[in-house]
PDB file of all heavy atoms in Angstrom:
ATOM      1  N   ILE A   1      85.352  63.555  84.765  1.00 94.00           N
ATOM      2  CA  ILE A   1      84.601  64.743  85.160  1.00 94.00           C
ATOM      3  C   ILE A   1      84.208  64.614  86.622  1.00 94.00           C
ATOM      4  O   ILE A   1      83.656  63.594  87.034  1.00 94.00           O
ATOM      5  CB  ILE A   1      83.343  64.918  84.282  1.00 94.00           C
ATOM      6  CG1 ILE A   1      83.729  65.000  82.804  1.00 94.00           C
ATOM      7  CG2 ILE A   1      82.561  66.152  84.717  1.00 94.00           C
ATOM      8  CD1 ILE A   1      82.556  65.000  81.852  1.00 94.00           C
ATOM      9  N   THR A   2      84.535  65.652  87.397  1.00 94.00           N
ATOM     10  CA  THR A   2      84.117  65.682  88.805  1.00 94.00           C
ATOM     11  C   THR A   2      83.368  66.986  89.076  1.00 94.00           C
ATOM     12  O   THR A   2      83.705  68.031  88.525  1.00 94.00           O
ATOM     13  CB  THR A   2      85.318  65.571  89.766  1.00 94.00           C
ATOM     14  OG1 THR A   2      86.225  66.638  89.498  1.00 94.00           O
ATOM     15  CG2 THR A   2      86.043  64.248  89.623  1.00 94.00           C
ATOM     16  N   PHE A   3      82.355  66.885  89.893  1.00 93.00           N
ATOM     17  CA  PHE A   3      81.565  68.037  90.296  1.00 93.00           C
ATOM     18  C   PHE A   3      81.642  68.186  91.801  1.00 93.00           C
ATOM     19  O   PHE A   3      81.657  67.191  92.521  1.00 93.00           O
ATOM     20  CB  PHE A   3      80.082  67.844  89.928  1.00 93.00           C
ATOM     21  CG  PHE A   3      79.824  67.739  88.459  1.00 93.00           C
ATOM     22  CD1 PHE A   3      79.715  66.498  87.847  1.00 93.00           C
ATOM     23  CD2 PHE A   3      79.671  68.872  87.683  1.00 93.00           C
ATOM     24  CE1 PHE A   3      79.461  66.388  86.498  1.00 93.00           C
ATOM     25  CE2 PHE A   3      79.421  68.777  86.319  1.00 93.00           C
ATOM     26  CZ  PHE A   3      79.313  67.536  85.730  1.00 93.00           C
ATOM     27  N   SER A   4      81.678  69.412  92.255  1.00 92.00           N
ATOM     28  CA  SER A   4      81.568  69.643  93.692  1.00 92.00           C
ATOM     29  C   SER A   4      80.801  70.941  93.919  1.00 92.00           C
ATOM     30  O   SER A   4      80.838  71.848  93.092  1.00 92.00           O
ATOM     31  CB  SER A   4      82.939  69.686  94.367  1.00 92.00           C
ATOM     32  OG  SER A   4      83.768  70.634  93.765  1.00 92.00           O
ATOM     33  N   THR A   5      80.098  70.974  95.017  1.00 93.00           N
ATOM     34  CA  THR A   5      79.344  72.161  95.405  1.00 93.00           C
ATOM     35  C   THR A   5      80.062  72.777  96.588  1.00 93.00           C
ATOM     36  O   THR A   5      80.340  72.093  97.578  1.00 93.00           O
ATOM     37  CB  THR A   5      77.901  71.787  95.796  1.00 93.00           C
ATOM     38  OG1 THR A   5      77.288  71.144  94.680  1.00 93.00           O
ATOM     39  CG2 THR A   5      77.106  73.020  96.178  1.00 93.00           C
ATOM     40  N   LEU A   6      80.390  74.040  96.463  1.00 92.00           N
ATOM     41  CA  LEU A   6      81.063  74.764  97.538  1.00 92.00           C
ATOM     42  C   LEU A   6      80.008  75.623  98.232  1.00 92.00           C
ATOM     43  O   LEU A   6      79.313  76.399  97.584  1.00 92.00           O
ATOM     44  CB  LEU A   6      82.189  75.623  96.968  1.00 92.00           C
ATOM     45  CG  LEU A   6      83.174  74.888  96.055  1.00 92.00           C
ATOM     46  CD1 LEU A   6      84.122  75.866  95.391  1.00 92.00           C
ATOM     47  CD2 LEU A   6      83.936  73.838  96.835  1.00 92.00           C
ATOM     48  N   ARG A   7      79.879  75.479  99.505  1.00 92.00           N
ATOM     49  CA  ARG A   7      78.853  76.209 100.251  1.00 92.00           C
ATOM     50  C   ARG A   7      79.481  77.344 101.051  1.00 92.00           C
ATOM     51  O   ARG A   7      80.592  77.225 101.547  1.00 92.00           O
ATOM     52  CB  ARG A   7      78.121  75.266 101.181  1.00 92.00           C
ATOM     53  CG  ARG A   7      77.505  74.094 100.424  1.00 92.00           C
ATOM     54  CD  ARG A   7      76.140  73.762 100.951  1.00 92.00           C
ATOM     55  NE  ARG A   7      75.580  72.643 100.230  1.00 92.00           N
ATOM     56  CZ  ARG A   7      74.678  72.758  99.266  1.00 92.00           C
ATOM     57  NH1 ARG A   7      74.242  73.939  98.929  1.00 92.00           N
ATOM     58  NH2 ARG A   7      74.212  71.690  98.656  1.00 92.00           N
ATOM     59  N   ASP A   8      78.723  78.430 101.142  1.00 92.00           N
ATOM     60  CA  ASP A   8      79.154  79.620 101.893  1.00 92.00           C
ATOM     61  C   ASP A   8      80.574  80.028 101.503  1.00 92.00           C
ATOM     62  O   ASP A   8      81.441  80.198 102.346  1.00 92.00           O
ATOM     63  CB  ASP A   8      79.049  79.370 103.398  1.00 92.00           C
ATOM     64  CG  ASP A   8      77.628  79.049 103.817  1.00 92.00           C
ATOM     65  OD1 ASP A   8      76.694  79.671 103.268  1.00 92.00           O
ATOM     66  OD2 ASP A   8      77.451  78.178 104.691  1.00 92.00           O
ATOM     67  N   LEU A   9      80.775  80.183 100.222  1.00 92.00           N
ATOM     68  CA  LEU A   9      82.096  80.513  99.684  1.00 92.00           C
ATOM     69  C   LEU A   9      82.275  82.024  99.618  1.00 92.00           C
ATOM     70  O   LEU A   9      81.441  82.739  99.064  1.00 92.00           O
ATOM     71  CB  LEU A   9      82.262  79.921  98.286  1.00 92.00           C
ATOM     72  CG  LEU A   9      83.595  80.189  97.596  1.00 92.00           C
ATOM     73  CD1 LEU A   9      84.735  79.498  98.344  1.00 92.00           C
ATOM     74  CD2 LEU A   9      83.540  79.718  96.146  1.00 92.00           C
ATOM     75  N   GLN A  10      83.354  82.491 100.207  1.00 92.00           N
ATOM     76  CA  GLN A  10      83.674  83.911 100.140  1.00 92.00           C
ATOM     77  C   GLN A  10      84.313  84.176  98.782  1.00 92.00           C
ATOM     78  O   GLN A  10      85.328  83.583  98.428  1.00 92.00           O
ATOM     79  CB  GLN A  10      84.624  84.290 101.269  1.00 92.00           C
ATOM     80  CG  GLN A  10      84.688  85.773 101.499  1.00 92.00           C
ATOM     81  CD  GLN A  10      85.423  86.110 102.788  1.00 92.00           C
ATOM     82  OE1 GLN A  10      86.009  85.251 103.427  1.00 92.00           O
ATOM     83  NE2 GLN A  10      85.384  87.371 103.140  1.00 92.00           N
ATOM     84  N   CYS A  11      83.691  85.068  97.987  1.00 92.00           N
ATOM     85  CA  CYS A  11      84.128  85.362  96.621  1.00 92.00           C
ATOM     86  C   CYS A  11      84.498  86.832  96.486  1.00 92.00           C
ATOM     87  O   CYS A  11      83.830  87.697  97.049  1.00 92.00           O
ATOM     88  CB  CYS A  11      83.005  85.080  95.628  1.00 92.00           C
ATOM     89  SG  CYS A  11      82.551  83.363  95.502  1.00 92.00           S
ATOM     90  N   PRO A  12      85.520  87.124  95.693  1.00 94.00           N
ATOM     91  CA  PRO A  12      85.870  88.524  95.461  1.00 94.00           C
ATOM     92  C   PRO A  12      84.790  89.238  94.656  1.00 94.00           C
ATOM     93  O   PRO A  12      84.118  88.632  93.829  1.00 94.00           O
ATOM     94  CB  PRO A  12      87.179  88.443  94.676  1.00 94.00           C
ATOM     95  CG  PRO A  12      87.254  87.063  94.151  1.00 94.00           C
ATOM     96  CD  PRO A  12      86.403  86.201  95.003  1.00 94.00           C
ATOM     97  N   VAL A  13      84.622  90.509  94.918  1.00 95.00           N
ATOM     98  CA  VAL A  13      83.712  91.344  94.137  1.00 95.00           C
ATOM     99  C   VAL A  13      84.475  91.831  92.913  1.00 95.00           C
ATOM    100  O   VAL A  13      85.588  92.356  93.036  1.00 95.00           O
ATOM    101  CB  VAL A  13      83.200  92.540  94.980  1.00 95.00           C
ATOM    102  CG1 VAL A  13      82.404  93.507  94.111  1.00 95.00           C
ATOM    103  CG2 VAL A  13      82.366  92.041  96.151  1.00 95.00           C
ATOM    104  N   LEU A  14      83.888  91.634  91.719  1.00 95.00           N
ATOM    105  CA  LEU A  14      84.542  92.014  90.467  1.00 95.00           C
ATOM    106  C   LEU A  14      83.646  92.961  89.687  1.00 95.00           C
ATOM    107  O   LEU A  14      82.426  92.866  89.758  1.00 95.00           O
ATOM    108  CB  LEU A  14      84.795  90.778  89.601  1.00 95.00           C
ATOM    109  CG  LEU A  14      85.602  89.643  90.213  1.00 95.00           C
ATOM    110  CD1 LEU A  14      85.676  88.479  89.252  1.00 95.00           C
ATOM    111  CD2 LEU A  14      86.992  90.112  90.586  1.00 95.00           C
ATOM    112  N   GLN A  15      84.285  93.846  88.939  1.00 94.00           N
ATOM    113  CA  GLN A  15      83.581  94.704  87.987  1.00 94.00           C
ATOM    114  C   GLN A  15      84.279  94.546  86.652  1.00 94.00           C
ATOM    115  O   GLN A  15      85.515  94.695  86.561  1.00 94.00           O
ATOM    116  CB  GLN A  15      83.602  96.158  88.451  1.00 94.00           C
ATOM    117  CG  GLN A  15      82.775  96.387  89.699  1.00 94.00           C
ATOM    118  CD  GLN A  15      82.764  97.850  90.122  1.00 94.00           C
ATOM    119  OE1 GLN A  15      83.252  98.721  89.426  1.00 94.00           O
ATOM    120  NE2 GLN A  15      82.200  98.088  91.292  1.00 94.00           N
ATOM    121  N   SER A  16      83.513  94.254  85.627  1.00 92.00           N
ATOM    122  CA  SER A  16      84.100  93.928  84.326  1.00 92.00           C
ATOM    123  C   SER A  16      84.965  95.045  83.756  1.00 92.00           C
ATOM    124  O   SER A  16      85.922  94.782  83.032  1.00 92.00           O
ATOM    125  CB  SER A  16      83.003  93.574  83.322  1.00 92.00           C
ATOM    126  OG  SER A  16      82.160  94.678  83.082  1.00 92.00           O
ATOM    127  N   ASN A  17      84.669  96.288  84.095  1.00 93.00           N
ATOM    128  CA  ASN A  17      85.446  97.405  83.539  1.00 93.00           C
ATOM    129  C   ASN A  17      86.593  97.849  84.442  1.00 93.00           C
ATOM    130  O   ASN A  17      87.229  98.856  84.173  1.00 93.00           O
ATOM    131  CB  ASN A  17      84.523  98.588  83.241  1.00 93.00           C
ATOM    132  CG  ASN A  17      83.798  99.077  84.485  1.00 93.00           C
ATOM    133  OD1 ASN A  17      83.785  98.408  85.508  1.00 93.00           O
ATOM    134  ND2 ASN A  17      83.176 100.231  84.388  1.00 93.00           N
ATOM    135  N   GLU A  18      86.876  97.103  85.493  1.00 93.00           N
ATOM    136  CA  GLU A  18      87.941  97.467  86.432  1.00 93.00           C
ATOM    137  C   GLU A  18      88.977  96.356  86.536  1.00 93.00           C
ATOM    138  O   GLU A  18      88.951  95.559  87.469  1.00 93.00           O
ATOM    139  CB  GLU A  18      87.357  97.764  87.821  1.00 93.00           C
ATOM    140  CG  GLU A  18      86.529  99.014  87.898  1.00 93.00           C
ATOM    141  CD  GLU A  18      87.359 100.273  87.665  1.00 93.00           C
ATOM    142  OE1 GLU A  18      88.577 100.259  87.900  1.00 93.00           O
ATOM    143  OE2 GLU A  18      86.769 101.270  87.223  1.00 93.00           O
ATOM    144  N   LEU A  19      89.907  96.286  85.580  1.00 92.00           N
ATOM    145  CA  LEU A  19      90.940  95.246  85.610  1.00 92.00           C
ATOM    146  C   LEU A  19      91.869  95.392  86.803  1.00 92.00           C
ATOM    147  O   LEU A  19      92.354  94.397  87.347  1.00 92.00           O
ATOM    148  CB  LEU A  19      91.759  95.284  84.316  1.00 92.00           C
ATOM    149  CG  LEU A  19      90.994  94.944  83.041  1.00 92.00           C
ATOM    150  CD1 LEU A  19      91.862  95.226  81.824  1.00 92.00           C
ATOM    151  CD2 LEU A  19      90.528  93.522  83.057  1.00 92.00           C
ATOM    152  N   GLN A  20      92.160  96.622  87.197  1.00 94.00           N
ATOM    153  CA  GLN A  20      93.064  96.869  88.316  1.00 94.00           C
ATOM    154  C   GLN A  20      92.342  96.844  89.648  1.00 94.00           C
ATOM    155  O   GLN A  20      92.980  96.902  90.700  1.00 94.00           O
ATOM    156  CB  GLN A  20      93.777  98.213  88.141  1.00 94.00           C
ATOM    157  CG  GLN A  20      94.576  98.324  86.861  1.00 94.00           C
ATOM    158  CD  GLN A  20      95.630  97.239  86.750  1.00 94.00           C
ATOM    159  OE1 GLN A  20      96.303  96.902  87.720  1.00 94.00           O
ATOM    160  NE2 GLN A  20      95.768  96.665  85.567  1.00 94.00           N
ATOM    161  N   GLY A  21      91.013  96.780  89.615  1.00 92.00           N
ATOM    162  CA  GLY A  21      90.231  96.834  90.842  1.00 92.00           C
ATOM    163  C   GLY A  21      90.208  98.248  91.393  1.00 92.00           C
ATOM    164  O   GLY A  21      90.950  99.126  90.942  1.00 92.00           O
ATOM    165  N   LYS A  22      89.320  98.481  92.345  1.00 92.00           N
ATOM    166  CA  LYS A  22      89.232  99.772  93.023  1.00 92.00           C
ATOM    167  C   LYS A  22      89.139  99.492  94.509  1.00 92.00           C
ATOM    168  O   LYS A  22      88.351  98.640  94.931  1.00 92.00           O
ATOM    169  CB  LYS A  22      87.977 100.536  92.591  1.00 92.00           C
ATOM    170  CG  LYS A  22      88.102 101.278  91.301  1.00 92.00           C
ATOM    171  CD  LYS A  22      86.874 102.150  91.102  1.00 92.00           C
ATOM    172  CE  LYS A  22      87.052 103.031  89.889  1.00 92.00           C
ATOM    173  NZ  LYS A  22      85.836 103.806  89.621  1.00 92.00           N
ATOM    174  N   PRO A  23      89.935 100.201  95.305  1.00 90.00           N
ATOM    175  CA  PRO A  23      89.870  99.978  96.755  1.00 90.00           C
ATOM    176  C   PRO A  23      88.431 100.090  97.262  1.00 90.00           C
ATOM    177  O   PRO A  23      87.707 101.014  96.906  1.00 90.00           O
ATOM    178  CB  PRO A  23      90.757 101.087  97.334  1.00 90.00           C
ATOM    179  CG  PRO A  23      91.668 101.459  96.207  1.00 90.00           C
ATOM    180  CD  PRO A  23      90.880 101.248  94.948  1.00 90.00           C
ATOM    181  N   GLU A  24      88.022  99.103  98.030  1.00 90.00           N
ATOM    182  CA  GLU A  24      86.710  99.023  98.669  1.00 90.00           C
ATOM    183  C   GLU A  24      85.550  98.891  97.687  1.00 90.00           C
ATOM    184  O   GLU A  24      84.399  98.942  98.074  1.00 90.00           O
ATOM    185  CB  GLU A  24      86.487 100.212  99.607  1.00 90.00           C
ATOM    186  CG  GLU A  24      87.514 100.250 100.729  1.00 90.00           C
ATOM    187  CD  GLU A  24      87.273 101.394 101.697  1.00 90.00           C
ATOM    188  OE1 GLU A  24      86.132 101.837 101.840  1.00 90.00           O
ATOM    189  OE2 GLU A  24      88.260 101.818 102.324  1.00 90.00           O
ATOM    190  N   GLU A  25      85.843  98.697  96.370  1.00 93.00           N
ATOM    191  CA  GLU A  25      84.775  98.519  95.389  1.00 93.00           C
ATOM    192  C   GLU A  25      84.886  97.205  94.631  1.00 93.00           C
ATOM    193  O   GLU A  25      83.892  96.531  94.408  1.00 93.00           O
ATOM    194  CB  GLU A  25      84.752  99.675  94.383  1.00 93.00           C
ATOM    195  CG  GLU A  25      84.225 100.966  94.943  1.00 93.00           C
ATOM    196  CD  GLU A  25      84.132 102.047  93.876  1.00 93.00           C
ATOM    197  OE1 GLU A  25      83.891 101.711  92.693  1.00 93.00           O
ATOM    198  OE2 GLU A  25      84.315 103.216  94.229  1.00 93.00           O
ATOM    199  N   SER A  26      86.105  96.852  94.204  1.00 95.00           N
ATOM    200  CA  SER A  26      86.272  95.628  93.425  1.00 95.00           C
ATOM    201  C   SER A  26      87.716  95.137  93.504  1.00 95.00           C
ATOM    202  O   SER A  26      88.625  95.892  93.817  1.00 95.00           O
ATOM    203  CB  SER A  26      85.881  95.865  91.961  1.00 95.00           C
ATOM    204  OG  SER A  26      86.742  96.801  91.364  1.00 95.00           O
ATOM    205  N   CYS A  27      87.887  93.854  93.184  1.00 95.00           N
ATOM    206  CA  CYS A  27      89.209  93.226  93.213  1.00 95.00           C
ATOM    207  C   CYS A  27      89.832  93.242  91.820  1.00 95.00           C
ATOM    208  O   CYS A  27      89.146  93.365  90.813  1.00 95.00           O
ATOM    209  CB  CYS A  27      89.080  91.787  93.699  1.00 95.00           C
ATOM    210  SG  CYS A  27      88.498  91.675  95.399  1.00 95.00           S
ATOM    211  N   SER A  28      91.132  93.088  91.770  1.00 94.00           N
ATOM    212  CA  SER A  28      91.872  93.111  90.510  1.00 94.00           C
ATOM    213  C   SER A  28      91.924  91.723  89.875  1.00 94.00           C
ATOM    214  O   SER A  28      91.601  90.714  90.509  1.00 94.00           O
ATOM    215  CB  SER A  28      93.298  93.606  90.754  1.00 94.00           C
ATOM    216  OG  SER A  28      94.030  92.636  91.471  1.00 94.00           O
ATOM    217  N   THR A  29      92.376  91.685  88.629  1.00 93.00           N
ATOM    218  CA  THR A  29      92.521  90.418  87.922  1.00 93.00           C
ATOM    219  C   THR A  29      93.539  89.508  88.613  1.00 93.00           C
ATOM    220  O   THR A  29      93.343  88.299  88.692  1.00 93.00           O
ATOM    221  CB  THR A  29      92.956  90.658  86.460  1.00 93.00           C
ATOM    222  OG1 THR A  29      94.186  91.383  86.452  1.00 93.00           O
ATOM    223  CG2 THR A  29      91.902  91.420  85.698  1.00 93.00           C
ATOM    224  N   GLU A  30      94.624  90.106  89.133  1.00 93.00           N
ATOM    225  CA  GLU A  30      95.647  89.301  89.815  1.00 93.00           C
ATOM    226  C   GLU A  30      95.101  88.680  91.097  1.00 93.00           C
ATOM    227  O   GLU A  30      95.377  87.521  91.408  1.00 93.00           O
ATOM    228  CB  GLU A  30      96.888  90.144  90.146  1.00 93.00           C
ATOM    229  CG  GLU A  30      97.680  90.591  88.947  1.00 93.00           C
ATOM    230  CD  GLU A  30      97.174  91.919  88.360  1.00 93.00           C
ATOM    231  OE1 GLU A  30      96.237  92.529  88.937  1.00 93.00           O
ATOM    232  OE2 GLU A  30      97.708  92.324  87.326  1.00 93.00           O
ATOM    233  N   GLU A  31      94.329  89.450  91.839  1.00 94.00           N
ATOM    234  CA  GLU A  31      93.740  88.926  93.074  1.00 94.00           C
ATOM    235  C   GLU A  31      92.772  87.785  92.768  1.00 94.00           C
ATOM    236  O   GLU A  31      92.757  86.765  93.458  1.00 94.00           O
ATOM    237  CB  GLU A  31      93.016  90.039  93.835  1.00 94.00           C
ATOM    238  CG  GLU A  31      93.948  91.072  94.429  1.00 94.00           C
ATOM    239  CD  GLU A  31      93.200  92.272  95.002  1.00 94.00           C
ATOM    240  OE1 GLU A  31      92.263  92.779  94.332  1.00 94.00           O
ATOM    241  OE2 GLU A  31      93.560  92.690  96.112  1.00 94.00           O
ATOM    242  N   LEU A  32      91.980  87.955  91.709  1.00 93.00           N
ATOM    243  CA  LEU A  32      91.053  86.893  91.318  1.00 93.00           C
ATOM    244  C   LEU A  32      91.807  85.640  90.922  1.00 93.00           C
ATOM    245  O   LEU A  32      91.451  84.534  91.325  1.00 93.00           O
ATOM    246  CB  LEU A  32      90.173  87.342  90.152  1.00 93.00           C
ATOM    247  CG  LEU A  32      89.331  86.210  89.559  1.00 93.00           C
ATOM    248  CD1 LEU A  32      88.207  85.827  90.509  1.00 93.00           C
ATOM    249  CD2 LEU A  32      88.826  86.550  88.197  1.00 93.00           C
ATOM    250  N   PHE A  33      92.859  85.781  90.134  1.00 91.00           N
ATOM    251  CA  PHE A  33      93.632  84.638  89.648  1.00 91.00           C
ATOM    252  C   PHE A  33      94.201  83.835  90.816  1.00 91.00           C
ATOM    253  O   PHE A  33      94.149  82.605  90.827  1.00 91.00           O
ATOM    254  CB  PHE A  33      94.736  85.158  88.727  1.00 91.00           C
ATOM    255  CG  PHE A  33      95.298  84.132  87.801  1.00 91.00           C
ATOM    256  CD1 PHE A  33      94.511  83.505  86.862  1.00 91.00           C
ATOM    257  CD2 PHE A  33      96.646  83.819  87.850  1.00 91.00           C
ATOM    258  CE1 PHE A  33      95.036  82.568  85.985  1.00 91.00           C
ATOM    259  CE2 PHE A  33      97.186  82.886  86.986  1.00 91.00           C
ATOM    260  CZ  PHE A  33      96.378  82.263  86.049  1.00 91.00           C
ATOM    261  N   GLU A  34      94.732  84.533  91.806  1.00 91.00           N
ATOM    262  CA  GLU A  34      95.268  83.865  92.990  1.00 91.00           C
ATOM    263  C   GLU A  34      94.157  83.169  93.770  1.00 91.00           C
ATOM    264  O   GLU A  34      94.306  82.033  94.216  1.00 91.00           O
ATOM    265  CB  GLU A  34      95.982  84.891  93.870  1.00 91.00           C
ATOM    266  CG  GLU A  34      96.695  84.285  95.048  1.00 91.00           C
ATOM    267  CD  GLU A  34      97.481  85.317  95.832  1.00 91.00           C
ATOM    268  OE1 GLU A  34      96.990  86.449  96.022  1.00 91.00           O
ATOM    269  OE2 GLU A  34      98.588  84.972  96.266  1.00 91.00           O
ATOM    270  N   TRP A  35      93.022  83.840  93.910  1.00 92.00           N
ATOM    271  CA  TRP A  35      91.880  83.269  94.627  1.00 92.00           C
ATOM    272  C   TRP A  35      91.374  82.010  93.925  1.00 92.00           C
ATOM    273  O   TRP A  35      91.085  81.009  94.570  1.00 92.00           O
ATOM    274  CB  TRP A  35      90.775  84.321  94.734  1.00 92.00           C
ATOM    275  CG  TRP A  35      89.522  83.829  95.368  1.00 92.00           C
ATOM    276  CD1 TRP A  35      89.256  83.749  96.710  1.00 92.00           C
ATOM    277  CD2 TRP A  35      88.349  83.349  94.702  1.00 92.00           C
ATOM    278  NE1 TRP A  35      87.987  83.248  96.903  1.00 92.00           N
ATOM    279  CE2 TRP A  35      87.416  82.997  95.683  1.00 92.00           C
ATOM    280  CE3 TRP A  35      88.003  83.193  93.370  1.00 92.00           C
ATOM    281  CZ2 TRP A  35      86.161  82.487  95.373  1.00 92.00           C
ATOM    282  CZ3 TRP A  35      86.752  82.681  93.055  1.00 92.00           C
ATOM    283  CH2 TRP A  35      85.854  82.340  94.048  1.00 92.00           C
ATOM    284  N   LEU A  36      91.286  82.043  92.584  1.00 92.00           N
ATOM    285  CA  LEU A  36      90.841  80.870  91.830  1.00 92.00           C
ATOM    286  C   LEU A  36      91.758  79.672  92.078  1.00 92.00           C
ATOM    287  O   LEU A  36      91.292  78.543  92.212  1.00 92.00           O
ATOM    288  CB  LEU A  36      90.803  81.169  90.332  1.00 92.00           C
ATOM    289  CG  LEU A  36      89.625  81.972  89.819  1.00 92.00           C
ATOM    290  CD1 LEU A  36      89.842  82.358  88.367  1.00 92.00           C
ATOM    291  CD2 LEU A  36      88.334  81.211  89.993  1.00 92.00           C
ATOM    292  N   GLY A  37      93.058  79.932  92.117  1.00 88.00           N
ATOM    293  CA  GLY A  37      94.003  78.853  92.406  1.00 88.00           C
ATOM    294  C   GLY A  37      93.761  78.247  93.774  1.00 88.00           C
ATOM    295  O   GLY A  37      93.788  77.031  93.945  1.00 88.00           O
ATOM    296  N   ALA A  38      93.490  79.088  94.756  1.00 89.00           N
ATOM    297  CA  ALA A  38      93.228  78.595  96.113  1.00 89.00           C
ATOM    298  C   ALA A  38      91.939  77.785  96.154  1.00 89.00           C
ATOM    299  O   ALA A  38      91.896  76.698  96.748  1.00 89.00           O
ATOM    300  CB  ALA A  38      93.157  79.763  97.091  1.00 89.00           C
ATOM    301  N   VAL A  39      90.893  78.274  95.507  1.00 90.00           N
ATOM    302  CA  VAL A  39      89.606  77.571  95.514  1.00 90.00           C
ATOM    303  C   VAL A  39      89.714  76.244  94.783  1.00 90.00           C
ATOM    304  O   VAL A  39      89.248  75.214  95.277  1.00 90.00           O
ATOM    305  CB  VAL A  39      88.492  78.448  94.897  1.00 90.00           C
ATOM    306  CG1 VAL A  39      87.222  77.646  94.657  1.00 90.00           C
ATOM    307  CG2 VAL A  39      88.192  79.632  95.800  1.00 90.00           C
ATOM    308  N   SER A  40      90.346  76.233  93.613  1.00 87.00           N
ATOM    309  CA  SER A  40      90.435  74.987  92.852  1.00 87.00           C
ATOM    310  C   SER A  40      91.297  73.943  93.545  1.00 87.00           C
ATOM    311  O   SER A  40      91.123  72.750  93.333  1.00 87.00           O
ATOM    312  CB  SER A  40      90.946  75.246  91.439  1.00 87.00           C
ATOM    313  OG  SER A  40      92.264  75.707  91.467  1.00 87.00           O
ATOM    314  N   ASN A  41      92.209  74.378  94.393  1.00 82.00           N
ATOM    315  CA  ASN A  41      93.044  73.442  95.155  1.00 82.00           C
ATOM    316  C   ASN A  41      92.521  73.211  96.563  1.00 82.00           C
ATOM    317  O   ASN A  41      93.216  72.634  97.398  1.00 82.00           O
ATOM    318  CB  ASN A  41      94.491  73.948  95.205  1.00 82.00           C
ATOM    319  CG  ASN A  41      95.170  73.780  93.877  1.00 82.00           C
ATOM    320  OD1 ASN A  41      95.381  72.662  93.428  1.00 82.00           O
ATOM    321  ND2 ASN A  41      95.487  74.876  93.229  1.00 82.00           N
ATOM    322  N   GLN A  42      91.321  73.682  96.825  1.00 80.00           N
ATOM    323  CA  GLN A  42      90.618  73.472  98.099  1.00 80.00           C
ATOM    324  C   GLN A  42      91.416  73.976  99.294  1.00 80.00           C
ATOM    325  O   GLN A  42      91.465  73.344 100.348  1.00 80.00           O
ATOM    326  CB  GLN A  42      90.237  72.009  98.256  1.00 80.00           C
ATOM    327  CG  GLN A  42      89.338  71.540  97.139  1.00 80.00           C
ATOM    328  CD  GLN A  42      89.034  70.059  97.196  1.00 80.00           C
ATOM    329  OE1 GLN A  42      89.644  69.304  97.945  1.00 80.00           O
ATOM    330  NE2 GLN A  42      88.086  69.636  96.390  1.00 80.00           N
TER     331      GLN A  42
END
């Protein structure tokens, strides 16, 4: 088990009822998935 604290992390804005995202309001599931991969791989 490893723990790390990420500071000043830029995170996508998500809305639970918007899977496809909305321009200028929220990100899509695909965008989040790609972002998670980038964050977890530092």
Side-chain angles (χ1 to χ4, degrees):
I1 303 173
T2 58
F3 297 96
S4 55
T5 301
L6 308 172
R7 303 220 181 259
D8 300 321
L9 180 66
Q10 196 169 8
C11 294
V13 172
L14 304 176
Q15 292 182 8
S16 64
N17 59 347
E18 291 294 335
L19 295 171
Q20 302 302 319
K22 278 189 173 176
E24 299 182 27
E25 287 184 31
S26 64
C27 296
S28 70
T29 58
E30 292 88 4
E31 291 172 315
L32 171 72
F33 200 61
E34 186 175 40
W35 176 84
L36 282 172
V39 169
S40 66
N41 287 294
Q42 300 175 349

